[in-house]
Amino acid sequence: MAKKRYTRNESDIQKLLSQGRGQGVGGKYSPYLFVRDVPSRGRSHRIYSKLNGRVLHLLSDIEYAHCLTFDMDETVIDIREQFALSRADTIRIASTLGFKHPKDPTSDTKSVMTTDLVITYKNAGKVTYKAISIKPNAHLEKPRIREKLKIEEVYWLERDVKFQILTEHDIPLHLKRSLQWLRQYNDFSKFVEPRNGYFAKLAQNLIVRIRHKGSYESGLADICKALDAQFADEPGAHLMIARHLLSTRLLQTNLNREQIWNTPISEIKVNQKLDTFRQSR
């Protein structure tokens, strides 16, 4: 089924803005564009983010891959996707630069421009922002794309916010695959424990082995398989909990490796916040 266009005329735009699209922060933020609103650039994704407690609407595989990296960054406190820019300002900037402002091809209405991701950081008590446009590398050679990016850049520079362009080349392939492998087990709220405290017990088994690893060099998958056998758990149970703990940064290691599941146990560190996980289950 073809997706409907998200804007056709001025009344469409005003309706979206009146609904709070592209506005808010944290869990109350609403992206200007939902996945259902526009044809996807590749494959679109709707993913739940525990960071801000809502579903993120990502319009391409590249956006999805980069969003996973920001979701894993401990200094990131908010991710706002498809962020609406002030149309009055982008029209002014486009005119100053001598560029045509983006418009709807059917109604000739000037469109609301958006920035793919606006990231909020908090580091040492200081809050900062970064605006990010994500494009396939090949598109950066297109003059019209460069014009639109320049409008975005000036828009954010006026607000003293760093603007960055990212492509598929800015995320290592192995890191991308690791994040995708971990993502399935990021949110445990949708998994049912066979008995009370089961997940916490799996975590405890794993953490004891990691903390007493010594010079043990076996890979993570092998360790988890051995723990399954030792405690008579279903095959894959401990690897499942390992994926959850890694995806939520309760276990830490270099994720930019070819086979994350074969990470030597000696290269995995325990985040002190893991005790909170065990106590909350």
Side-chain angles (χ1 to χ4, degrees):
M1 180 181 295
K3 295 183 180 180
K4 62 182 180 182
R5 292 189 56 81
Y6 69 94
T7 57
R8 294 186 183 277
N9 53 45
E10 188 63 27
S11 65
D12 294 326
I13 291 174
Q14 294 305 319
K15 181 178 180 180
L16 292 179
L17 294 176
S18 69
Q19 293 172 351
R21 294 286 194 97
Q23 303 168 49
V25 295
K28 295 183 178 180
Y29 174 76
S30 176
Y32 185 71
L33 305 176
F34 287 1
V35 163
R36 66 174 182 266
D37 293 330
V38 295
S40 62
R41 292 163 285 177
R43 292 182 298 175
S44 57
H45 300 265
R46 297 174 72 255
I47 64 170
Y48 177 76
S49 172
K50 294 178 68 176
L51 185 67
N52 48 27
R54 65 176 183 83
V55 173
L56 304 181
H57 290 252
L58 307 169
L59 305 184
S60 70
D61 285 339
I62 309 176
E63 284 186 22
Y64 172 64
H66 280 292
C67 195
L68 292 183
T69 67
F70 292 119
D71 201 45
M72 290 285 287
D73 188 335
E74 290 187 291
T75 66
V76 172
I77 61 173
D78 197 9
I79 299 173
R80 289 177 286 178
E81 75 283 17
Q82 326 313 331
F83 187 91
L85 310 185
S86 165
R87 195 163 44 149
D89 287 340
T90 57
I91 290 173
R92 171 181 53 79
I93 293 168
S95 177
T96 301
L97 294 173
F99 299 154
K100 293 182 179 179
H101 191 277
K103 63 181 181 180
D104 185 274
T106 58
S107 68
D108 212 35
T109 301
K110 287 183 170 60
S111 304
V112 173
M113 295 185 66
T114 60
T115 291
D116 295 320
L117 296 176
V118 175
I119 309 298
T120 307
Y121 296 88
K122 187 174 184 180
N123 198 356
K126 182 180 179 181
V127 176
T128 58
Y129 304 90
K130 182 185 289 185
I132 298 170
S133 181
I134 299 174
K135 295 286 184 288
N137 188 68
H139 288 190
L140 299 183
E141 298 301 317
K142 299 179 179 181
R144 183 55 177 155
I145 294 293
R146 294 202 299 268
E147 289 181 356
K148 293 178 181 179
L149 290 173
K150 187 61 179 179
I151 296 172
E152 274 190 80
E153 180 183 17
V154 173
Y155 180 94
W156 288 110
L157 285 176
E158 289 184 349
R159 287 155 175 77
D160 198 27
V161 172
K162 182 178 180 181
F163 177 72
Q164 185 177 15
I165 300 170
L166 297 177
T167 74
E168 68 274 21
H169 297 320
D170 292 303
I171 178 169
L173 178 60
H174 295 327
L175 174 60
K176 175 183 175 181
R177 289 176 174 171
S178 293
L179 291 173
Q180 291 174 334
W181 184 71
L182 296 175
R183 181 69 198 183
Q184 179 182 354
Y185 294 100
N186 178 264
D187 181 15
F188 254 26
S189 64
K190 59 186 178 182
F191 292 91
V192 178
E193 291 185 288
R195 56 185 179 276
N196 188 42
Y198 178 68
F199 292 154
K201 180 58 177 175
L202 293 175
Q204 176 68 16
N205 296 340
L206 182 59
I207 210 62
V208 167
R209 181 62 61 90
I210 291 173
R211 281 179 167 159
H212 297 84
K213 56 182 175 278
S215 59
Y216 207 47
E217 289 298 326
S218 291
L220 177 63
D222 288 338
I223 290 294
C224 290
K225 183 177 180 180
L227 289 173
D228 290 341
Q230 178 182 347
F231 293 98
D233 289 304
E234 290 290 329
H238 284 87
L239 188 58
M240 174 190 69
I241 202 71
R243 290 167 75 173
H244 172 70
L245 297 177
L246 285 167
S247 73
T248 54
R249 302 186 295 269
L250 295 175
L251 291 180
Q252 298 174 327
T253 190
N254 175 19
L255 300 180
N256 186 23
R257 59 177 85 233
E258 186 172 0
Q259 296 179 325
I260 186 67
W261 49 89
N262 285 333
T263 299
I265 199 74
S266 61
E267 296 181 21
I268 299 176
K269 297 180 179 180
V270 178
N271 189 321
Q272 292 181 350
K273 295 179 181 179
L274 185 59
D275 290 331
T276 302
F277 169 84
R278 294 205 305 268
Q279 293 167 7
S280 65
R281 303 310 300 179

